């Protein structure tokens, strides 16, 4: 073969595609023990036995090529060569979960129809052996006429054999033939011919597409980006009406005839010892998805998470804080007083340094989320939430993107690609940013520190406030989903069909990988975006210079930033915020954690560069012009509530724009979230004031 | 209970926990039927209900699948005894 081949990895959700991809290419695709981890294609390179580069594409999991959701559509479109940004794969690595051969072979069966060389990989052989399933690999290979390779992707077993097979110049085409059921065969032939002559497709792709047209309910989606040509459409319609009149269930017949062919294969090659007794997963599930205990477990997990955030982060946080102070002191000793020195101490250390102190908490959060993802708990959380989500008008499946949004709304919004119904997907996208993401964590922590200054306060009070904020965001998300499903995006609650994977011990490697990846992103963000914003903000807070003799506060008020804050003050005074906070609100439209760095810059500018690190003290000392305390407990709470609801994240807006393919929805989302934030804060602050807080 | 010609159909949601049924009929719209057929819920497949009154957990060919109550209501099974 002259050109190096392109391989696509195709298989059911959660069968180990990304694990295999990582083992082959050395890349670090996200791996997790729940269906729907990968939702976009990812390309990598493997060097063959002869040192030739081979392209490997990791794809989202799919149960069928007749795609039902956007993530499955990605897989279908790449395989059928409909994506302009991706070369059509020449060969396919079909990976199946050996513990469930029959269901997994359904997709393989469809892929074999595409007439491309296929290598079949039997993954999870360790679990199959545990379950007493034995597979006659050689026989399967002989029956299908393609290489079949048993492997354990997670332990690196079988990878060498697989690499050898991938490196082969010639791969046989499958000789497996199955008979298209007689009443349908002429229709397939006619559609295929029409797709070749009118649609310009290659014959085998045309046959596969003809079969897909018949098993899919919505022919527009099957034809992908380019709509089906009119002639083929007409042929399809005439056959369908003929069958309807005769009472032929063409789609059902096609599926069952595939399963029949697969059943014959499977019964020949797979043998299962007696159905095993209760597995460990069953015993765990008896508690975890129990209608009562399930909720207790969920509550315990959450409490443990927040408790750890407060308990274990304090020490490293203090070290970073001390480091910042030492660094600022060192710079002060080194440089003469002046704007440049203040820029470094107030702008850079006051801004970026303050943000970095929250790294320990963020690491702890991602550690927990990583555990949930790699043990298999995610799918269980979706399961116990299904009932509740049904009342809202969504189903349990929507809860997985929402849960991911606790880390960051961006992967959460991407994960909505697993949702079948476009309206339900949109509703989930609209409410996902209400789940408190890791960028809110610094804001909450700062406010909680201002609320409970000093170590005398019990940790339970801090944890309690934190849980309250997370709960508020979650309730808000459900409330708005309920509202949208009843007004803008009406529809029946969708039915959930979701696979629950067996529990696995968390793979520390995967968890650490996620943690370092996220920490890296966080630090990179701090070192670029937040650094830039801090410097600009410092400039805006330092210029124009007020006449000599002005106090630091007068200078700040006189500056560009101060003026902007003053401009906003009338709008935010009813919710208890002054112009200092106003500056923070404006700048945190870039990203929420910028609020903290902004407060760092604003208050260290105001304190005249005395003490950069103890932002908490500066907040407690802040006053209204009439001498009232600015950060009263009520204002701290109101500010947290504002951050729970307001949409302040450029990256999220950009992702929503891309995923919804319009500006309408991100703008609507920004407006409704920020509007709701103001209204709810108004209610909280005014009733709090009336009650005398 | 063994298979009898006078089979007694019931929706999967009503199958008692740990009982096994044989799928006899899929009701509901064609899109739904298509998807669950593709996921292995074909006619004459055996399915064991593990737990659940609202959302249902069942076992099919060695995999656990969670189904909304309304989805489970559309799958009609014939009970074949418990495992
Ligand atoms: N026991 C065992 N576990 C495995 C094996 N291969 C992968 N896993 C685990 O299976 C789970 C799913 O792996 P992924 O690679 O994320 O699966 P995927 O097919 O990419 O999943 P999606 O992207 O969601 O479709 C992870 O928890 C892996 O650690 C294996 O051979 N044996
Ligand atoms: Mg994957």
């Amino acid at each position: 073969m002259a050109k190096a081949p392109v391989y696509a990895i195709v298989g059911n959700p959660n069968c180990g595609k990304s694990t295999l991809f990582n083992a082959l290419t050395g890349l670090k695709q996200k791996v997790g023990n729940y269906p729907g981890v990968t939702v976009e294609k990812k390309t990598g390179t493997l060097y063959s036995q002869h040192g030739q580069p081979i392209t490997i594409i990791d794809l989202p999991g799919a149960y069928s090529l007749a795609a039902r959701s956007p993530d499955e559509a990605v897989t279908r479109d790449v395989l059928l060569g409909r994506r302009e940004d991706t070369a059509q794969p020449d060969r396919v690595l079909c990976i199946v979960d050996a513990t469930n051969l029959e269901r997994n072979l359904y997709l393989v069966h469809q892929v074999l129809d595409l007439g491309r060389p296929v290598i079949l990989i039997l993954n999870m052989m360790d679990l199959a052996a545990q379950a007493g399933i034995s597979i006659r690999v050689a026989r399967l290979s002989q029956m299908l006429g393609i290489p079949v390779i048993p492997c354990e992707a997670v332990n690196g077993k079988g990878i060498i054999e697989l690499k050898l097979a991938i490196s082969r110049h010639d791969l046989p085409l499958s000789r497996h033939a199955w008979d298209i059921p007689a009443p349908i065969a002429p229709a397939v032939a006619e559609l295929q011919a029409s797709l070749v002559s009118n649609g310009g497709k290659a014959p085998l792709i045309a046959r596969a597409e003809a079969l897909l047209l018949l098993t899919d309910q919505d022919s527009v989606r099957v034809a992908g980006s380019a709509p089906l040509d009119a002639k083929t459409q007409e042929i399809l319609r005439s056959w369908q009406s003929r069958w309807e009149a005769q009472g032929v269930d063409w789609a059902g017949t096609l599926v069952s005839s595939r399963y029949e062919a697969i059943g014959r294969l499977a019964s020949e090659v797979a043998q299962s010892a007696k159905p095993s007794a209760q597995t460990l997963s069953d015993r765990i599930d008896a508690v975890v998805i129990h209608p009562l205990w399930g909720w207790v477990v969920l509550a315990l997990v959450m409490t443990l998470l927040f408790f750890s955030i407060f308990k274990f982060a304090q020490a490293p946080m203090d070290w970073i804080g001390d480091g910042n102070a030492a660094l600022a002191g060192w710079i002060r000793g080194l440089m003469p007083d002046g704007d440049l020195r203040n820029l470094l101490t107030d702008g850079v250390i006051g801004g970026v340094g303050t943000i970095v102190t929250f790294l320990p908490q963020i690491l702890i959060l991602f550690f927990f989320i990583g555990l949930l993802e790699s043990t298999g708990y995610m799918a269980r959380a979706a399961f116990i939430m299904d009932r509740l989500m049904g009342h809202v008008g969504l189903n349990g499946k929507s809860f997985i993107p929402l849960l991911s949004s606790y880390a960051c709304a961006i992967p959460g919004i991407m994960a909505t690609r697993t949702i079948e119904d476009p309206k339900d997907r949109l509703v989930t996208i609209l409410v996902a940013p209400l789940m408190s993401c890791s960028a809110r964590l610094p804001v909450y922590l700062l406010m909680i520190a201002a609320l409970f200054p000093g170590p005398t306060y019990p940790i339970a009070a801090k944890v309690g406030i934190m849980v309250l904020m997370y709960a508020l965001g979650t309730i808000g998300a459900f409330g708005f989903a309920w509202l949208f499903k009843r007004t803008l995006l009406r529809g029946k609650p969708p039915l959930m069909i979701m696979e629950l994977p067996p529990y696995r011990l968390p793979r520390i490697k995967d968890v650490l990988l996620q943690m370092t990846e996220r920490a890296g992103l966080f630090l990179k963000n701090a070192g670029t975006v937040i650094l830039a914003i801090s410097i600009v903000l410092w400039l805006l807070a330092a210029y124009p210079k007020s006449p000599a003799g002005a106090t630091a506060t007068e200078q700040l008020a006189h500056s560009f930033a101060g003026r902007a804050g003053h401009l906003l003050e009338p709008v935010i005074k009813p919710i208890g915020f002054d112009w200092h906070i106003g500056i923070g609100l404006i700048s945190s439209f870039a990203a929420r954690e910028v609020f903290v760095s902004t407060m760092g810059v604003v208050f260290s500018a105001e304190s005249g560069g005395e003490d950069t690190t103890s932002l908490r003290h500066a907040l407690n000392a802040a006053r209204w012009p009439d001498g009232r305390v600015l950060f009263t407990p009520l204002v701290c709470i109101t500010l947290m509530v504002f951050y729970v609801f307001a949409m302040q994240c450029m990256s999220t807006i950009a992702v929503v724009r891309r995923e919804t393919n319009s500006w309408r929805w991100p703008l609507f989302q920004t407006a409704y979230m920020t509007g709701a934030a103001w209204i709810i804060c108004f209610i909280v602050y005014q009733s709090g004031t009336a009650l005398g807080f | 209970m063994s298979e009898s010609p006078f089979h007694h159909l019931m929706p999967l949601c009503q199958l008692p926990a740990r009982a096994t049924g044989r799928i006899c009929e899929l009701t509901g719209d064609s899109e739904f039927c298509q998807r669950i057929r593709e996921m292995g819920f074909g006619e004459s497949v055996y399915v064991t209900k593990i737990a659940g009154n609202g959302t249902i957990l069942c076992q099919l060919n060695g995999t656990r699948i969670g189904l909304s109550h309304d989805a489970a209501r559309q799958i009609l099974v014939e009970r074949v005894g418990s495992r």
Side-chain angles (χ1 to χ4, degrees):
Chain A
M1 192 178 292
K3 184 175 134 288
V6 176
Y7 280 90
I9 303 185
V10 177
N12 281 182
N14 207 44
C15 68
K17 297 176 297 298
S18 300
T19 311
L20 183 77
F21 176 82
N22 290 347
L24 290 175
T25 62
L27 292 177
K28 292 170 182 156
Q29 271 278 77
K30 180 168 170 180
V31 165
N33 189 21
Y34 61 97
V37 180
T38 311
V39 292
E40 186 49 274
K41 63 169 182 70
K42 165 91 181 174
T43 305
T45 307
L46 159 78
Y47 288 91
S48 75
Q49 236 50 37
H50 324 288
Q52 191 191 23
I54 293 174
T55 305
I56 312 262
I57 308 175
D58 186 25
L59 290 172
Y63 288 111
S64 160
L65 287 186
R68 289 272 179 267
S69 49
D71 60 334
E72 290 189 335
V74 170
T75 298
R76 177 200 65 201
D77 290 348
V78 168
L79 263 187
L80 298 182
R82 290 181 190 163
R83 288 262 304 229
E84 267 158 23
D85 57 353
T86 315
Q88 183 171 11
D90 312 295
R91 299 169 168 193
V92 185
L93 298 176
C94 269
I95 172 163
V96 299
D97 174 352
T99 61
N100 184 6
L101 201 56
E102 273 193 63
R103 211 264 328 272
N104 277 258
L105 281 177
Y106 182 80
L107 179 69
V108 177
H109 207 257
Q110 289 182 320
V111 171
L112 290 178
D113 278 345
L114 294 175
R116 279 160 204 276
V118 172
I119 299 175
L120 183 62
I121 299 150
L122 304 177
N123 194 30
M124 313 235 180
M125 289 303 276
D126 51 334
L127 296 184
Q130 264 174 39
I133 298 169
S134 60
I135 298 175
R136 294 159 66 197
V137 178
R139 180 81 184 108
L140 182 59
S141 172
Q142 184 199 8
M143 287 176 82
L144 290 177
I146 58 175
V148 177
I149 295 167
C151 97
E152 292 167 31
V154 80
N155 303 319
K157 281 194 196 162
I159 300 295
I160 297 186
E161 291 83 346
L162 178 59
K163 276 189 183 172
L164 276 174
I166 290 178
S167 306
R168 276 171 59 175
H169 283 303
D170 54 325
L171 274 178
L173 282 177
S174 168
R175 62 165 164 275
H176 174 72
W178 66 290
D179 298 322
I180 295 172
I184 295 170
V188 174
E190 197 177 334
L191 284 169
Q192 179 184 4
S194 165
L195 281 168
V196 170
S197 57
N198 302 313
K201 312 253 165 152
L204 275 168
I205 294 279
R207 178 164 176 270
E209 291 208 7
L211 286 164
L212 286 188
L213 282 174
L214 293 177
T215 43
D216 200 86
Q217 304 305 315
D218 179 355
S219 46
V220 179
R221 269 190 301 173
V222 140
S225 37
L228 197 60
D229 64 272
K231 194 78 195 296
T232 316
Q233 184 81 51
E234 201 189 300
I235 298 174
L236 180 64
R237 248 192 241 120
S238 81
W239 276 102
Q240 285 176 342
S241 47
R242 193 179 318 173
W243 286 324
E244 256 156 37
Q246 297 170 349
V248 176
D249 173 10
W250 66 92
T253 314
L254 263 178
V255 178
S256 37
S257 67
R258 274 198 206 275
Y259 264 109
E260 262 162 42
I262 293 163
R264 281 194 295 275
L265 268 173
S267 63
E268 174 83 16
V269 299
Q271 231 152 43
S272 156
K274 257 197 71 63
S276 56
Q278 265 204 331
T279 62
L280 183 62
S281 287
D282 291 333
R283 283 202 291 272
I284 300 176
D285 271 342
V287 178
V288 169
I289 63 161
H290 188 274
L292 174 65
W293 297 123
W295 291 98
V296 175
V297 170
L298 188 65
L300 278 178
V301 170
M302 295 308 243
T303 313
L304 189 66
L305 162 65
F306 293 120
F307 184 79
S308 320
I309 286 182
F310 284 97
K311 185 77 189 159
F312 302 123
Q314 197 55 51
M317 208 181 157
D318 290 343
W319 301 333
I320 301 176
D322 293 346
N324 283 341
L327 192 64
W330 181 70
I331 292 177
R332 279 204 203 94
L334 213 63
M335 294 171 63
D337 195 3
D339 273 358
L340 184 61
R341 189 182 93 174
N342 289 344
L343 170 65
L344 287 179
T345 55
D346 299 350
V348 177
I349 299 176
V352 177
T354 319
I355 281 291
V356 173
T357 38
F358 293 99
L359 184 62
Q361 280 95 337
I362 291 193
L363 282 175
I364 293 174
L365 177 71
F366 282 111
F367 177 72
F368 267 83
I369 291 179
L371 286 189
L372 296 188
E373 288 179 342
S374 63
T375 48
Y377 187 73
M378 291 293 269
R380 271 71 187 187
F383 184 92
I384 59 173
M385 277 289 175
D386 182 61
R387 197 76 181 277
L388 187 65
M389 301 287 287
H391 293 305
V392 167
L394 298 172
N395 71 26
K397 236 179 173 176
S398 288
F399 192 65
I400 291 183
L402 294 184
L403 207 56
S404 306
S405 301
Y406 279 135
C408 175
I410 293 165
I413 287 166
M414 295 289 290
T416 61
R417 290 188 179 187
T418 57
I419 298 172
E420 290 99 6
D421 187 278
K423 282 186 186 167
D424 296 331
R425 175 164 180 250
L426 191 52
V427 170
T428 313
I429 290 177
L430 286 177
V431 303
L434 287 169
M435 309 299 276
S436 285
C437 63
S438 61
R440 267 117 155 172
L441 205 52
V443 180
Y444 294 168
L445 289 164
L446 184 69
M447 286 300 116
I448 290 175
L451 204 53
F452 303 111
T456 48
Y457 292 89
I459 203 170
K462 301 178 187 178
V463 172
I465 298 280
M466 190 68 114
V467 170
L468 197 68
M469 292 305 143
Y470 275 76
L472 197 60
T474 312
I475 294 168
F478 286 6
F480 277 108
W482 180 88
L483 185 69
F484 294 148
K485 275 292 287 198
R486 260 152 207 79
T487 52
L488 284 180
L489 300 155
R490 276 163 197 273
K492 273 195 309 181
L495 303 177
M496 178 181 75
I497 315 164
M498 187 182 55
E499 203 175 334
L500 304 193
Y503 287 99
R504 286 191 231 286
L505 277 180
R507 299 233 315 144
I508 295 305
K509 210 179 111 198
D510 290 344
V511 177
L512 286 182
L513 195 79
Q514 276 301 304
M515 277 171 72
T516 45
E517 193 127 301
R518 300 302 313 193
L521 270 178
F522 178 77
L523 288 179
K524 189 177 149 224
N525 201 29
T528 53
V529 177
I530 294 178
L531 177 66
I533 293 178
S534 296
I535 292 176
V536 169
L537 195 75
W538 179 85
L539 288 171
L540 291 178
Y543 294 94
K545 290 278 185 209
S546 44
T551 65
T553 311
E554 283 164 359
Q555 161 59 33
L556 183 62
H558 183 73
S559 71
F560 292 121
R563 288 178 206 178
H566 277 295
L567 215 58
L568 191 64
E569 203 179 69
V571 183
I572 55 177
K573 211 163 181 178
I575 55 177
F577 304 162
D578 80 337
W579 59 275
H580 290 97
I581 301 178
I583 300 176
L585 295 187
I586 297 171
S587 61
S588 61
F589 266 89
R592 292 177 178 94
E593 67 268 35
V594 173
F595 178 77
V596 172
S597 59
T598 304
M599 291 295 104
V601 174
V602 166
F603 283 102
S604 58
E606 204 172 53
S607 71
E610 283 306 304
D611 184 359
T612 5
T613 50
S614 190
L615 181 53
R616 191 211 304 155
H617 294 276
L619 295 187
N620 286 331
R623 294 285 182 273
W624 285 91
D626 60 9
R628 281 180 297 132
V629 175
L630 174 57
F631 286 95
T632 61
L634 181 60
V635 169
C636 291
I637 297 280
T638 312
L639 193 67
M640 282 196 261
V641 170
F642 187 85
Y643 276 84
V644 167
F645 288 99
M647 172 62 149
Q648 296 157 299
C649 182
M650 290 296 182
S651 330
T652 304
I653 293 176
V655 168
V656 173
R657 142 94 190 94
R658 195 186 65 202
E659 292 293 302
T660 61
N661 210 5
S662 84
W663 276 110
R664 209 166 97 216
W665 293 111
L667 291 178
F668 169 72
Q669 186 175 35
T670 312
Y672 101 78
M673 284 177 66
T674 312
W678 193 89
I679 292 171
I680 295 168
C681 284
F682 184 79
I683 295 170
V684 169
Y685 182 72
Q686 293 300 337
S687 48
T689 314
L691 292 173
F693 284 104
Chain B
M1 212 190 298
S2 64
E3 288 178 48
S4 72
F6 310 103
H7 42 233
H8 174 62
L9 289 190
M10 63 169 106
L12 180 58
C13 55
Q14 283 175 18
L15 201 67
R18 279 178 300 282
T20 297
R22 203 178 58 142
I23 297 173
C24 296
E25 197 184 329
L26 303 174
T27 60
D29 60 30
S30 54
E31 185 142 353
F32 169 77
C33 295
Q34 182 71 20
R35 172 48 28 131
I36 63 170
R37 270 205 189 101
E38 291 188 314
M39 285 184 72
F41 284 87
E43 277 85 352
S44 80
V45 167
Y46 291 92
V47 50
T48 305
K49 180 165 150 189
I50 298 177
N53 298 314
T55 310
I56 284 174
L57 180 61
C58 61
Q59 178 139 10
L60 180 92
N61 261 329
T63 47
R64 270 173 291 268
I65 293 184
L67 288 169
S68 294
H69 189 265
D70 283 345
R73 217 182 42 208
Q74 295 175 10
I75 301 172
L76 301 185
V77 299
E78 159 198 36
R79 188 173 170 176
V80 295
S82 46
R83 283 186 197 172

